[in-house]
Coordinates of all heavy atoms in Angstrom, one line a residue:
G1 N 16.8 -3.8 16.8 CA 16.7 -4.5 18.1 C 15.4 -4.4 18.7 O 14.9 -5.3 19.3
T2 N 14.7 -3.3 18.5 CA 13.3 -3.1 18.6 C 12.8 -2.4 17.4 O 13.4 -1.5 16.9 CB 12.9 -2.4 19.9 OG1 11.5 -2.2 20.0 CG2 13.6 -1.0 20.0
M3 N 11.6 -2.8 17.0 CA 11.0 -2.2 15.8 C 10.0 -1.1 16.1 O 9.4 -0.5 15.2 CB 10.4 -3.3 14.9 CG 11.3 -4.3 14.4 SD 12.3 -3.8 13.0 CE 11.2 -3.7 11.7
G4 N 9.8 -0.8 17.4 CA 8.8 0.2 17.7 C 9.2 1.6 17.3 O 10.3 2.0 17.3
L5 N 8.2 2.4 16.9 CA 8.4 3.7 16.5 C 8.9 4.6 17.6 O 9.6 5.6 17.4 CB 7.1 4.3 15.9 CG 6.6 3.6 14.6 CD1 5.2 4.2 14.2 CD2 7.6 3.7 13.5
V6 N 8.5 4.4 18.8 CA 8.9 5.2 20.0 C 10.3 4.9 20.4 O 11.1 5.8 20.5 CB 7.9 5.0 21.1 CG1 8.3 5.9 22.3 CG2 6.5 5.4 20.7
Q7 N 10.6 3.7 20.6 CA 11.9 3.3 21.1 C 13.0 3.2 20.1 O 14.2 3.0 20.4 CB 11.8 2.0 22.0 CG 10.8 2.1 23.1 CD 11.2 3.2 24.1 OE1 12.4 3.6 24.3 NE2 10.2 3.7 24.9
S8 N 12.7 3.2 18.8 CA 13.7 3.0 17.8 C 13.9 4.2 16.9 O 15.0 4.3 16.2 CB 13.4 1.8 17.0 OG 12.4 2.0 16.0
E9 N 12.9 5.1 16.8 CA 13.1 6.2 15.8 C 12.4 7.5 16.2 O 11.6 8.0 15.3 CB 12.8 5.7 14.4 CG 11.5 5.0 14.2 CD 11.3 4.4 12.8 OE1 11.2 5.2 11.9 OE2 11.2 3.2 12.7
S10 N 12.5 7.9 17.4 CA 11.9 9.1 17.8 C 12.9 10.0 18.6 O 13.6 10.8 18.0 CB 10.6 8.8 18.6 OG 10.9 8.2 19.9
L11 N 12.9 9.9 19.9 CA 13.8 10.8 20.7 C 15.2 10.6 20.3 O 16.0 11.5 20.5 CB 13.5 10.6 22.1 CG 12.5 11.5 22.7 CD1 12.2 11.2 24.2 CD2 12.9 13.0 22.6
D12 N 15.6 9.4 20.0 CA 17.0 9.2 19.6 C 17.4 10.0 18.4 O 18.4 10.7 18.4 CB 17.3 7.7 19.3 CG 16.4 7.1 18.2 OD1 15.2 7.5 18.1 OD2 16.9 6.3 17.3
R13 N 16.5 10.0 17.3 CA 16.8 10.9 16.2 C 16.7 12.3 16.5 O 17.6 13.1 16.0 CB 15.8 10.6 15.0 CG 15.5 9.1 14.8 CD 16.8 8.4 14.3 NE 16.6 6.9 14.2 CZ 16.1 6.2 13.2 NH1 15.7 6.9 12.1 NH2 16.0 4.9 13.3
R14 N 15.8 12.7 17.3 CA 15.7 14.2 17.7 C 17.0 14.6 18.5 O 17.5 15.7 18.2 CB 14.5 14.4 18.6 CG 13.2 14.1 18.0 CD 12.0 14.3 18.9 NE 10.7 13.8 18.4 CZ 9.6 13.9 19.0 NH1 9.5 14.5 20.2 NH2 8.5 13.4 18.5
F15 N 17.4 13.7 19.4 CA 18.6 14.1 20.2 C 19.8 14.2 19.3 O 20.5 15.3 19.4 CB 18.8 13.0 21.3 CG 20.1 13.2 22.0 CD1 20.2 14.1 23.0 CD2 21.3 12.5 21.7 CE1 21.4 14.3 23.7 CE2 22.5 12.7 22.4 CZ 22.5 13.6 23.4
F16 N 20.1 13.3 18.5 CA 21.3 13.4 17.6 C 21.2 14.4 16.5 O 22.1 15.0 16.1 CB 21.6 12.0 17.0 CG 22.2 11.0 18.1 CD1 21.4 9.9 18.5 CD2 23.4 11.2 18.6 CE1 21.9 9.1 19.4 CE2 23.9 10.4 19.6 CZ 23.2 9.3 20.0
N17 N 19.9 14.7 16.1 CA 19.7 15.8 15.2 C 20.1 17.1 15.9 O 20.8 18.0 15.3 CB 18.3 15.9 14.6 CG 18.1 14.9 13.5 OD1 19.0 14.6 12.7 ND2 16.8 14.4 13.4
R18 N 19.6 17.3 17.1 CA 19.8 18.6 17.8 C 21.3 18.7 18.1 O 21.9 19.8 18.1 CB 19.0 18.6 19.1 CG 19.3 19.8 20.0 CD 19.0 21.1 19.4 NE 19.4 22.2 20.2 CZ 20.6 22.7 20.3 NH1 21.6 22.2 19.6 NH2 20.9 23.8 21.1
L19 N 22.0 17.6 18.4 CA 23.4 17.6 18.7 C 24.2 18.0 17.5 O 25.3 18.5 17.6 CB 23.8 16.2 19.2 CG 25.2 16.0 19.8 CD1 25.5 16.9 20.9 CD2 25.4 14.6 20.2
G20 N 23.7 17.7 16.3 CA 24.4 17.9 15.0 C 25.3 16.8 14.7 O 26.3 16.9 13.9
A21 N 25.0 15.6 15.2 CA 25.9 14.4 15.0 C 25.8 13.9 13.6 O 24.9 14.3 12.8 CB 25.5 13.3 16.0
S22 N 26.7 13.1 13.2 CA 26.6 12.4 11.9 C 25.3 11.5 11.9 O 24.8 11.1 13.0 CB 27.8 11.4 11.7 OG 28.9 12.2 11.4
R23 N 24.7 11.4 10.8 CA 23.5 10.6 10.6 C 23.9 9.2 10.2 O 24.9 9.0 9.5 CB 22.5 11.2 9.7 CG 21.9 12.5 10.2 CD 21.1 13.2 9.3 NE 20.4 14.4 9.9 CZ 19.7 15.3 9.3 NH1 19.6 15.3 8.0 NH2 19.1 16.3 10.0
L24 N 23.1 8.2 10.5 CA 23.4 6.8 10.1 C 22.5 6.4 9.0 O 21.3 6.5 9.0 CB 23.2 5.9 11.3 CG 23.6 4.4 11.1 CD1 25.1 4.3 11.1 CD2 23.0 3.6 12.2
D25 N 23.2 5.9 7.9 CA 22.4 5.4 6.8 C 22.1 3.9 7.2 O 23.0 3.1 7.1 CB 23.3 5.5 5.5 CG 22.5 5.2 4.3 OD1 21.2 5.0 4.4 OD2 23.1 5.3 3.2
R26 N 20.9 3.6 7.5 CA 20.5 2.3 8.1 C 20.2 1.3 6.9 O 19.1 1.2 6.5 CB 19.4 2.5 9.0 CG 19.8 3.2 10.3 CD 18.7 3.5 11.2 NE 19.1 4.0 12.5 CZ 19.5 5.3 12.8 NH1 19.4 6.2 11.8 NH2 20.0 5.6 14.0
T27 N 21.2 0.7 6.5 CA 21.2 -0.2 5.2 C 21.4 -1.7 5.5 O 21.3 -2.4 4.5 CB 22.4 0.3 4.3 OG1 23.6 0.0 5.0 CG2 22.3 1.7 4.0
I28 N 21.6 -2.1 6.7 CA 22.1 -3.4 7.0 C 21.3 -4.6 6.5 O 21.7 -5.7 6.3 CB 22.4 -3.6 8.5 CG1 23.4 -4.7 8.8 CG2 21.2 -3.8 9.3 CD1 24.9 -4.4 8.4
C29 N 20.0 -4.3 6.3 CA 19.1 -5.4 5.9 C 18.5 -5.3 4.5 O 18.6 -6.2 3.7 CB 18.0 -5.5 6.9 SG 16.8 -6.9 6.6
A30 N 17.8 -4.2 4.2 CA 16.8 -4.2 3.2 C 17.0 -3.1 2.2 O 16.1 -3.0 1.2 CB 15.4 -4.1 3.8
S31 N 18.0 -2.3 2.2 CA 18.0 -1.0 1.4 C 18.1 -1.3 -0.1 O 17.5 -0.6 -0.9 CB 19.2 -0.1 1.9 OG 20.4 -0.8 1.7
A32 N 18.9 -2.3 -0.5 CA 19.0 -2.6 -1.9 C 17.7 -3.0 -2.5 O 17.2 -2.5 -3.5 CB 20.1 -3.7 -2.1
G33 N 17.1 -4.0 -1.9 CA 15.8 -4.5 -2.3 C 14.7 -3.5 -2.3 O 13.9 -3.4 -3.2
A34 N 14.7 -2.6 -1.3 CA 13.7 -1.6 -1.2 C 13.9 -0.6 -2.3 O 12.9 -0.2 -2.9 CB 13.8 -0.8 0.2
M35 N 15.1 -0.3 -2.7 CA 15.3 0.7 -3.8 C 14.9 0.0 -5.1 O 14.2 0.7 -6.0 CB 16.7 1.1 -3.9 CG 17.0 2.2 -4.9 SD 18.7 2.9 -4.8 CE 18.7 3.9 -6.2
G36 N 15.2 -1.2 -5.4 CA 14.8 -1.9 -6.6 C 13.3 -2.0 -6.7 O 12.7 -1.8 -7.8
W37 N 12.7 -2.3 -5.6 CA 11.2 -2.5 -5.6 C 10.6 -1.1 -5.8 O 9.6 -1.0 -6.7 CB 10.8 -3.0 -4.2 CG 9.3 -3.2 -4.1 CD1 8.4 -2.3 -3.6 CD2 8.5 -4.4 -4.4 NE1 7.1 -2.8 -3.6 CE2 7.2 -4.1 -4.1 CE3 8.9 -5.6 -4.9 CZ2 6.2 -5.0 -4.3 CZ3 7.9 -6.6 -5.2 CH2 6.5 -6.3 -4.9
K38 N 11.0 -0.1 -5.1 CA 10.4 1.2 -5.3 C 10.6 1.8 -6.7 O 9.7 2.5 -7.2 CB 10.9 2.2 -4.2 CG 10.4 1.8 -2.8 CD 11.1 2.7 -1.7 CE 10.6 2.3 -0.3 NZ 11.3 3.0 0.7
A39 N 11.7 1.5 -7.3 CA 12.0 2.0 -8.7 C 10.9 1.4 -9.6 O 10.7 2.0 -10.7 CB 13.4 1.7 -9.1
T40 N 10.4 0.3 -9.3 CA 9.4 -0.4 -10.2 C 8.0 -0.2 -9.8 O 7.1 0.1 -10.6 CB 9.7 -1.9 -10.1 OG1 11.2 -2.1 -10.3 CG2 9.0 -2.7 -11.2
V41 N 7.7 -0.3 -8.5 CA 6.4 -0.3 -8.0 C 6.0 1.1 -7.3 O 4.9 1.5 -7.3 CB 6.1 -1.4 -7.0 CG1 4.8 -1.4 -6.3 CG2 6.3 -2.8 -7.7
G42 N 7.1 1.7 -6.7 CA 6.9 3.0 -6.2 C 6.8 3.2 -4.7 O 7.1 4.2 -4.1
A43 N 6.5 2.1 -3.9 CA 6.5 2.1 -2.5 C 6.5 0.7 -2.0 O 6.3 -0.2 -2.7 CB 5.2 2.8 -2.0

């Protein structure tokens, strides 16, 4: 919903990590293609 590093993947991750919550595998868009690409090209 926002792609910014501050508002999308910083204090939220820290808070839920400290809480000991379940982690979310964020796959909804690109995870399959990213894995296929990285297996071939590396990054």
Side-chain angles (χ1 to χ4, degrees):
T2 176
M3 297 286 285
L5 297 176
V6 177
Q7 300 301 334
S8 74
E9 47 188 298
S10 64
L11 269 175
D12 58 321
R13 312 296 170 89
R14 298 179 190 184
F15 173 80
F16 287 111
N17 279 330
R18 174 61 183 84
L19 187 60
S22 286
R23 292 173 173 170
L24 186 70
D25 194 3
R26 290 173 170 84
T27 61
I28 200 75
C29 179
S31 60
M35 185 171 174
W37 181 270
K38 290 175 183 177
T40 312
V41 174

